[in-house]
């Protein structure tokens, strides 16, 4: 099978040298990421740069392989759209036989055309003895004759049948699937994102990854182990789904000493602004140590008291590094919608807003002199101390370390009689790939992971439960957390992969 990939439009308008460089980076990223597609032995994935497109070739017709490749391509920055391509030769440019082309169109589309409107779109490159309109009319007439209930609608069709004639090659395309757009990672400079695990910071991090910036994660721990567990899940999820072609760092900083100092010495109304200034100062120290060019936050104008224009101006004066705020004009619902789309919303829902406990009556227009006076009571060396004590790890190791820690967690590939499998995936994932309880031979319950911490306490303590998720990482993290809370009747269900 073959997939044809089109570059994001902003790449195609760049100079020849830049376009070629971006294309080469994207090809290398595709090669790395597509290695995890499950293929028969000795069946490599080949990725070819063709200037106006990228082609992915694999010697397999397995629809499951096609589905895996499609899922990966949807999450790789730099791709505008892609389609599976069915190719056949054009034997005679002057007197071309359209019958094989119609046969391929029907084989590709007929099952999805019944009772639907369609339009045929043909693009040609090269000299031929026929026009694009000639082929469009022939294919359209053939579809009308051979597929029941179809009708032509050139303005707003239900289905577009896309055909490309490239000199002597005919390409009949399948569904046109949208990519992420943006730029390949890492064609832009390195940044550090202040990741809290909530909606805003995860979406802001995604936006920078999508624009091709290598985005390391800096986490200020204000809520203990459970807080860090959730943020680690967010970081790992973002890396695995949108940036796994390159290593990213996760820097965890215990910020409790800094918060304690603020609570002791700073007036209540200024605590939020001072906290944000201390966070930026600390993040700047981190950024300089890993050669990052800017900081990224999920702040949106006016969303909370520290995000008024006046307070943002005072906060930014604390450092001389560039602070990027990709969500600055977005409404909260827009941000939540993006989080739903990229898959971080469920994790965000489980994260309390720890920063919200700082100021009871926050000042929406903090005075610079008052802030400086309050900060004069703080120890600047403390920020360097918490950075030196920070835990720095590769994000990709989060999954591996979970495997190492999970030796205390019972992990099985088959459930025993009387056990109950808890599917902790989101509702969308459960619907797309449901677990069949009748085939597993045991009961299956659905409890999304973000509700598991509270819901588990209400379950029957005499039963043994096995947590399940697609990749196995989140189920292991949740099982470890539950065991830390004293629950011994929990394990992990990790079925063997087919193939």
């Amino acid at each position: 099978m073959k997939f044809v990939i089109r570059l994001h439009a902003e790449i195609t308008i760049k100079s020849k040298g830049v376009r070629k460089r971006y294309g080469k980076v994207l090809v290398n990223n595709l090669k790395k990421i597509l290695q995890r597609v499950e293929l028969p032995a000795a069946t490599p994935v080949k990725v070819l740069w063709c200037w106006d497109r990228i082609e992915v070739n694999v010697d397999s017709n397995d629809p499951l392989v096609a589905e895996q490749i499609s899922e990966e391509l949807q999450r790789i920055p730099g791709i505008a759209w892609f389609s599976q391509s069915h190719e056949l030769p054009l034997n005679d440019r002057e007197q071309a036989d359209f019958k094989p082309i119609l046969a391929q169109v029907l084989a590709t589309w007929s099952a999805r055309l019944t009772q639907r409107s369609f339009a045929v779109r043909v693009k040609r490159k090269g000299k031929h003895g026929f026009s694009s309109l000639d082929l469009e009319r022939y294919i359209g007439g053939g579809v009308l004759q051979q597929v029941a209930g179809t009708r032509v609608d050139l303005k707003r069709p239900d289905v577009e049948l896309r055909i490309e004639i490239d000199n002597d090659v005919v390409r009949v395309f399948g569904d046109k699937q949208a990519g992420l757009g943006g730029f390949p990672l890492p064609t832009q400079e390195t940044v550090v994102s202040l990741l809290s695990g909530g909606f805003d910071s995860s979406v802001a991090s995604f936006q920078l990854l999508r624009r091709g910036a290598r985005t390391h994660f800096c986490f200020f721990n204000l809520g203990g182990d459970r807080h860090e567990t959730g943020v680690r899940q967010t970081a790992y999820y973002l890396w695995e789904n949108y940036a796994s072609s390159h290593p990213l760092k996760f820097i965890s900083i215990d910020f409790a000493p800094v918060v304690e100092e603020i609570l002791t010495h700073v007036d209540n109304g200024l605590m939020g602004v001072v906290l944000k200034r201390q966070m930026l100062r600390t993040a700047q120290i981190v950024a300089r140590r890993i050669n990052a060019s800017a900081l990224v936050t999920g702040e949106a104008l006016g969303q909370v008291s520290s995000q008024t224009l006046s307070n943002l101006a005072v906060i930014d004066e604390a450092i001389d590094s560039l602070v990027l705020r990709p969500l600055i004009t977005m409404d909260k619902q827009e941000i939540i919608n993006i989080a739903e789309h990229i898959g971080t919303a469920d994790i965000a829902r489980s994260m309390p807003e720890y920063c919200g406990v700082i100021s009871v009556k926050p000042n929406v227009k903090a005075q610079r002199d008052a802030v400086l006076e309050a900060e004069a009571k703080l120890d600047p060396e403390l920020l360097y101390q918490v950075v030196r004590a920070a835990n720095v790890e590769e994000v990709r190791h989060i999954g591996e370390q979970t495997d190492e820690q999970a030796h205390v967690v019972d992990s099985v590939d088959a459930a025993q009689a009387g056990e109950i499998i808890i599917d902790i995936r989101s509702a969308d994932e459960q619907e797309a790939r449901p677990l069949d309880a009748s085939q597993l031979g045991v009961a299956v319950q659905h409890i999304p992971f973000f509700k598991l911490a509270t819901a588990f306490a209400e379950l029957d303590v005499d039963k043994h439960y096995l947590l399940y998720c697609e990749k196995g990482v989140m189920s292991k993290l949740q099982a470890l957390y539950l065991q830390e809370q004293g629950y011994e009747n929990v394990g992990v269900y990790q079925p063997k992969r087919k193939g």
Side-chain angles (χ1 to χ4, degrees):
M1 70 180 70
K2 175 180 288 188
F3 286 83
V4 172
I5 297 168
R6 299 293 183 179
L7 303 177
H8 180 51
E10 291 182 47
I11 300 175
T12 64
I13 62 175
K14 293 188 178 295
S15 67
K16 184 177 180 180
V18 173
R19 178 174 176 174
K20 185 176 181 180
R21 178 169 64 86
Y22 279 31
K24 184 177 180 180
V25 171
L26 181 53
V27 166
N28 289 334
N29 291 351
L30 286 164
K31 288 178 178 178
K32 292 177 184 177
I33 293 172
L34 293 178
Q35 286 178 356
R36 61 190 185 196
V37 174
E38 297 175 18
L39 293 170
T43 307
V45 176
K46 297 180 181 179
V47 184
L48 303 175
W49 165 249
C50 304
W51 181 250
D52 64 335
R53 66 188 185 279
I54 294 174
E55 295 183 355
V56 173
N57 295 277
V58 58
D59 187 16
S60 172
N61 293 315
D62 186 343
L64 293 178
V65 171
E67 182 181 353
Q68 288 182 61
I69 293 175
S70 295
E71 289 179 354
E72 297 291 355
L73 296 182
Q74 290 174 40
R75 301 192 296 254
I76 299 175
I79 296 176
W81 59 267
F82 64 92
S83 288
Q84 192 169 352
S85 173
H86 307 274
E87 297 190 357
L88 57 155
L90 185 70
N91 297 322
D92 188 338
R93 294 196 195 184
E94 295 299 322
Q95 301 294 327
D97 182 3
F98 292 163
K99 291 181 181 179
I101 303 176
L102 175 60
Q104 183 59 63
V105 169
L106 293 172
T108 304
W109 285 104
S110 60
R112 289 174 286 173
L113 281 175
T114 304
Q115 305 300 327
R116 304 184 75 186
S117 65
F118 73 94
V120 183
R121 314 291 193 197
V122 174
K123 290 185 177 181
R124 289 186 305 113
K125 182 188 295 184
K127 294 183 178 180
H128 302 92
F130 59 90
S131 68
S132 298
L133 185 59
D134 292 335
L135 180 55
E136 288 175 352
R137 287 173 173 169
Y138 182 90
I139 299 299
V143 171
L144 288 171
Q145 288 180 355
Q146 299 191 44
V147 183
T150 53
R151 65 189 186 283
V152 174
D153 185 343
L154 298 181
K155 292 184 177 180
R156 293 183 178 179
D158 296 329
V159 178
E160 282 194 348
L161 307 180
R162 295 176 299 114
I163 303 170
E164 184 178 280
I165 311 293
D166 187 352
N167 293 307
D168 296 326
V169 177
V170 180
R171 298 187 183 96
V172 176
F173 292 105
D175 289 320
K176 185 176 182 179
Q177 301 186 60
L180 282 184
F183 297 135
L185 191 72
T187 52
Q188 309 304 308
E189 293 172 86
T190 300
V191 299
V192 170
S193 180
L194 279 62
L195 188 67
S196 68
F199 294 103
D200 303 341
S201 64
S202 62
V203 172
S205 301
F206 164 77
Q207 299 284 37
L208 268 294
L209 289 170
R210 178 184 169 276
R211 293 298 290 182
R214 191 195 296 262
T215 304
H216 301 296
F217 306 111
C218 183
F219 164 58
F220 295 104
N221 193 338
L222 305 176
D225 292 341
R226 185 182 173 190
H227 188 194
E228 181 162 354
T229 297
V231 180
R232 282 163 62 88
Q233 289 175 356
T234 301
Y236 185 81
Y237 179 90
L238 289 169
W239 171 80
E240 184 182 42
N241 285 276
Y242 305 108
S244 60
S245 57
H246 289 80
L248 303 179
K249 293 183 183 347
F250 182 78
I251 301 102
S252 176
I253 299 175
D254 181 4
F255 222 53
V258 179
V259 173
E260 182 180 352
E261 189 181 42
I262 292 172
L263 290 170
T264 303
H265 298 292
V266 178
D267 178 72
N268 188 278
L270 297 176
M271 286 181 181
V273 170
V274 173
L275 175 65
K276 291 293 180 68
R277 283 167 62 96
Q278 294 293 76
M279 284 181 170
L280 287 190
R281 288 187 177 109
T282 308
Q284 180 175 255
I285 297 170
V286 171
R288 287 176 173 170
R289 293 188 177 185
I290 62 176
N291 297 317
S293 302
L295 306 180
V296 181
T297 77
E299 292 161 316
L301 185 60
Q303 189 178 112
V304 295
S305 61
S306 64
Q307 295 173 23
T308 62
L309 278 179
S310 297
N311 282 348
L312 288 175
V314 173
I315 290 169
D316 281 1
E317 289 176 356
I319 62 172
D320 53 21
S321 294
L322 175 65
V323 180
L324 303 176
R325 296 182 171 93
L327 314 185
I328 193 67
T329 63
M330 288 189 182
D331 296 333
K332 188 67 175 186
Q333 191 58 52
E334 290 181 87
I335 297 169
I336 292 173
N337 291 343
I338 296 174
E340 294 278 8
H341 179 69
I342 66 176
T344 60
D346 286 341
I347 305 175
R349 288 190 183 96
S350 69
M351 304 297 295
E353 186 56 66
Y354 293 102
C355 292
V357 304
I358 296 299
S359 294
V360 178
K361 294 182 179 179
N363 193 328
V364 297
K365 196 171 184 179
Q367 298 300 309
R368 182 181 298 103
D369 292 344
V371 171
L372 294 176
E373 182 181 349
E375 290 182 342
K377 303 173 185 176
L378 306 180
D379 179 10
E381 178 59 26
L382 182 59
L383 303 183
Y384 290 91
Q385 290 177 13
V386 296
V387 171
R388 285 194 292 269
N391 181 45
V392 182
E393 62 184 318
E394 297 285 347
V395 177
R396 61 189 172 89
H397 290 160
I398 290 175
E400 297 171 6
Q401 289 172 358
T402 301
D403 284 337
E404 293 173 4
Q405 294 171 331
H407 69 278
V408 296
V409 177
D410 181 24
S411 182
V412 298
D413 58 20
Q416 303 299 315
E419 291 185 315
I420 298 173
I421 294 176
I422 299 179
D423 188 341
I424 68 170
R425 297 174 297 168
S426 66
D428 289 342
E429 290 179 291
Q430 292 172 10
E431 184 178 349
R433 297 182 182 85
L435 283 179
D436 190 340
S438 61
Q439 290 187 359
L440 296 172
V442 296
V444 176
Q445 293 186 18
H446 297 144
I447 304 176
F449 67 89
F450 57 91
K451 294 182 178 179
L452 191 62
T454 54
F456 200 85
E458 301 175 4
L459 299 179
D460 187 345
V461 295
D462 295 325
K463 298 286 187 180
H464 192 266
Y465 300 93
L466 299 174
L467 309 185
Y468 169 77
C469 68
E470 200 79 38
K471 301 290 185 181
V473 175
M474 196 168 295
S475 57
K476 292 173 184 175
L477 284 170
Q478 291 293 334
L480 285 167
Y481 174 74
L482 288 171
Q483 286 202 346
E484 289 171 358
Q485 306 309 304
Y487 296 104
E488 298 181 357
N489 59 332
V490 60
V492 172
Y493 171 61
Q494 192 169 18
K496 292 180 179 178
R497 295 196 171 212
K498 297 179 180 180

